[in-house]
């Protein structure tokens, strides 16, 4: 059972030149990220917070479906799935401070 | 080899490093490092000769990074500070990083939002939550201020690392004398004019704490409601507002050589947060805060600069240099205790922190 993972944006700092990785036998997104973390040390902390919730400005897609519209981090995975881990689009005013922008 | 003066800036868009090899006459800069990433605090660890930075990338979340080559290259720690899974808290930002004492070379502390203290014993690679503060009996009643529920100041007693102070916005000052096992409030005589009880046990809003290096019992505090000094290692506080134009401000710094000389940058009020009278001035006292003088030579006559809580520092030269970074990207320096200011750099991103060091 092979699952392909694509990463982009800031997360490429951790994967080096590889933007596409393959893992075997992961049953859900939590498992996917755990396996990915074994291959790419420290990447789990950059994708999930301490409660295994996806960070606010990271989106995870399973075959182009955002996991937030599926079962979140518990979304099941299967052979042949393609997982995209992408920074979300952010711009304009207001939303950043609620999600970690700077105050004095 | 000639001493090298360093000034490290944490800004909204990365780290900038200014370096002088000619006695602070000219400066060469590098940066931004971590291009585009918010860096609230950068400091120099004299034990390891490493720079340490709080890195707050809005996609990847907060962490700590270090540089062994004066900012040229940086490495993130192995694990960022994180609450245990059993906690209902999650680290939003790292506000301050503080090297431990000489006798504990790997120990580094950091303060985060929501208010917690983390300790590293491996120079910032991995972090452990201070359980004593996290389990402080009043914690669930703490409420965030405008800046969040941030733990922004950490003072380790250089004579006894078991004794520490931390400052938390809209909570106050806490002190431990048992290495962080237990913490008690030290907010006596600190005004909380925004609360029904003006002198509560906790709920005050300290903005910045600084300890004098040669008289470690002396601690100065810029608070939301005034300037204060402690002469007894943070047990009690005396108000030192004196003739300052305002009680409100964020940074406070001490002269490295003169334990009685202290610097602040007052703002008009907590509501306006602008320099009084539309002119940015640094104020200094030579008598521990009894009488203050405005230091404006070299600063614009009309200026609405503001300075963040970590935005002012002094160096170890004699006379001690004073550095001020503004929220609008100006870096000012005085080699004469604020007697005359020169602009080192303009047009930088908003400056969150200024740290001076000599290597």
């Amino acid at each position: 059972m092979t699952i392909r993972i694509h990463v982009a944006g800031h997360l490429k700092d951790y994967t080096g030149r590889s933007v596409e990785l393959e893992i075997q036998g992961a049953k859900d997104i939590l498992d996917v990220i755990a396996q990915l973390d074994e291959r790419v040390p420290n990447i789990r902390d950059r994708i999930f917070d301490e409660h295994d919730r996806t960070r606010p400005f990271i989106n995870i897609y399973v075959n182009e479906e955002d996991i937030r519209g599926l079962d979140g981090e518990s979304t099941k995975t299967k052979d042949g799935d393609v997982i995209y881990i992408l920074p979300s689009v952010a711009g304009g005013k207001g939303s950043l401070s609620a999600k970690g922008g700077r105050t004095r | 080899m000639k001493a090298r003066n360093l000034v490290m800036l944490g800004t909204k868009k990365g780290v900038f490093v200014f370096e002088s090899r000619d006695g602070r006459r000219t400066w060469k800069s590098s940066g931004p490092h971590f291009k585009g990433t918010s860096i609230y605090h950068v400091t120099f660890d004299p034990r390891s000769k490493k720079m340490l930075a709080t890195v707050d990338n809005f996609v990847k979340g907060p962490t700590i990074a270090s540089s062994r080559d004066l900012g040229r290259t940086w490495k993130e720690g192995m694990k960022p500070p994180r609450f245990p899974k059993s906690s209902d808290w999650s680290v939003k930002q790292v506000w301050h990083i503080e090297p431990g004492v000489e006798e504990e070379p790997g120990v580094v502390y950091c303060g985060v939002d929501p208010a917690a203290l983390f300790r590293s014993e491996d120079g910032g690679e991995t972090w452990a939550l201070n359980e004593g503060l996290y389990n402080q009996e009043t914690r669930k009643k703490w409420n965030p201020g405008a800046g969040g529920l941030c733990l922004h100041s950490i003072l380790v007693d250089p004579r006894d690392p078991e004794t520490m102070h931390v400052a938390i916005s809209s909570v106050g000052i806490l002190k431990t004398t048992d290495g962080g096992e237990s913490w008690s409030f030290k907010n006596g005589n600190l005004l909380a004019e925004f609360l029904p009880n003006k002198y509560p046990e906790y709920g005050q809003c300290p903005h910045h704490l600084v300890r004098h290096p040669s008289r470690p019992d002396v601690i100065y505090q810029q608070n939301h409601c005034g300037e204060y000094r402690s002469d007894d290692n943070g047990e009690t506080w005396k108000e030192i507002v004196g003739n300052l134009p305002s009680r409100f401000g964020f940074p406070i710094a001490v002269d490295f050589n003169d334990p009685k000389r202290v610097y602040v940058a007052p703002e008009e009020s907590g509501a306006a947060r602008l320099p009084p009278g539309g002119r940015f001035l640094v104020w200094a006292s030579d008598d521990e805060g009894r009488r203050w003088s405005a230091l404006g030579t070299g600063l614009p006559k009309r200026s609405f600069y503001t300075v963040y809580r970590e935005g002012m520092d002094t160096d170890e030269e004699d006379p001690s240099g004073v550095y001020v970074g503004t929220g609008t990207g100006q870096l000012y320096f005085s080699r004469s205790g604020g007697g005359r200011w020169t602009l080192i750099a303009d047009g930088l991103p908003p400056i969150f922190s200024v740290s001076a060091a000599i290597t």
Side-chain angles (χ1 to χ4, degrees), chain B residues 158-359:
Chain B
R159 302 159 298 186
D160 171 21
E162 299 279 290
T163 297
M164 296 173 60
H165 294 77
V166 296
I168 303 171
S169 288
S170 75
V171 173
I173 313 294
L174 294 109
K175 182 177 183 179
T176 180
T177 56
D178 56 13
E181 292 287 317
S182 62
W183 296 81
S184 54
F185 287 110
K186 298 295 175 186
N187 293 318
N189 200 40
L190 298 182
L191 175 64
E193 63 186 0
F194 45 82
L195 292 177
N197 174 2
K198 306 298 180 202
Y199 291 94
E201 182 192 11
Y202 64 94
Q204 287 88 343
C205 195
H207 285 176
H208 196 54
L209 292 187
V210 60
R211 185 193 297 276
H212 197 278
S214 67
R215 281 176 63 203
D217 276 339
V218 177
I219 300 174
Y220 289 94
Q221 175 184 170
Q222 174 66 65
N223 189 291
H224 192 102
C225 300
E227 293 76 11
Y228 295 90
R229 187 186 79 243
S230 172
D231 296 322
D232 55 9
N233 204 6
E235 287 292 318
T236 60
W237 298 95
K238 294 173 190 164
E239 185 186 293
I240 54 168
V241 174
N243 61 314
L244 283 170
S246 166
R247 291 172 166 272
F248 189 83
F250 284 93
I252 189 163
V254 291
D255 189 288
F256 189 84
N257 302 297
D258 180 352
K260 295 189 172 180
R261 187 165 174 83
V262 55
Y263 301 91
V264 294
E267 295 183 10
E268 193 175 298
S269 66
R273 304 192 179 208
L274 288 171
R279 186 179 184 198
F280 171 71
L281 293 166
V282 174
W283 290 67
S285 169
D286 280 322
D287 53 12
E288 303 179 295
R290 290 176 181 82
R291 184 85 197 156
W292 297 86
S293 306
L295 305 171
T297 305
L299 296 174
K301 292 278 187 286
R302 186 163 172 78
S303 49
F304 291 93
Y305 300 153
T306 55
V307 181
Y308 285 77
R309 70 187 77 225
E310 302 273 11
M312 182 158 60
D313 198 14
T314 58
D315 66 26
E316 299 176 27
E317 301 283 7
D318 192 5
S320 183
V322 189
Y323 305 82
V324 180
T326 71
T328 41
Q330 292 82 22
L331 175 63
Y332 281 97
F333 163 59
S334 172
R335 58 190 305 129
S336 55
R340 174 174 292 278
W341 297 97
T342 54
L343 187 65
I344 294 181
D346 198 353
L348 296 168
I351 298 169
F352 295 143
S353 75
V354 176
S355 300
I358 300 175
T359 63

Side-chain angles (χ1 to χ4, degrees), chain A residues 20-78:
Chain A
E20 185 175 324
L21 300 96
E22 286 186 357
I23 59 167
Q24 306 290 326
K27 64 180 191 302
D28 58 20
I29 290 297
L30 284 170
D31 205 9
V32 167
I33 302 303
Q35 286 199 36
L36 180 63
D37 193 61
E38 287 174 14
R39 297 264 301 276
V40 183
N42 306 327
I43 199 166
R44 182 191 185 116
D45 291 333
R46 320 314 280 155
I47 296 171
F48 287 161
D49 69 9
E50 44 268 83
H51 305 295
D52 286 339
R53 294 177 300 222
T54 306
R55 292 194 177 279
F57 284 95
I58 284 185
N59 293 334
I60 301 177
Y61 299 87
V62 178
N63 303 325
E64 304 183 13
E65 287 286 326
D66 189 333
I67 63 165
R68 292 187 177 95
L70 301 170
D71 290 327
E73 294 80 8
S74 301
T75 298
K76 301 289 183 212
T77 51
K78 61 181 187 310

Side-chain angles (χ1 to χ4, degrees), chain B residues 4-10 15-20 24 27-30 42 44 51 70 311 313-315 322-325 331-333 344 351 353-358:
Chain B
R4 176 163 43 190
N5 293 86
L6 292 176
V7 182
M8 296 151 277
L9 307 184
V15 171
F16 291 81
V17 179
F18 290 79
E19 191 176 323
S20 174
R24 303 171 298 170
W27 297 88
K28 190 176 156 189
S29 71
S30 69
V42 192
F44 184 74
M51 288 182 183
L70 302 181
D313 198 14
T314 58
D315 66 26
V322 189
Y323 305 82
V324 180
L331 175 63
Y332 281 97
F333 163 59
I344 294 181
I351 298 169
S353 75
V354 176
S355 300
I358 300 175

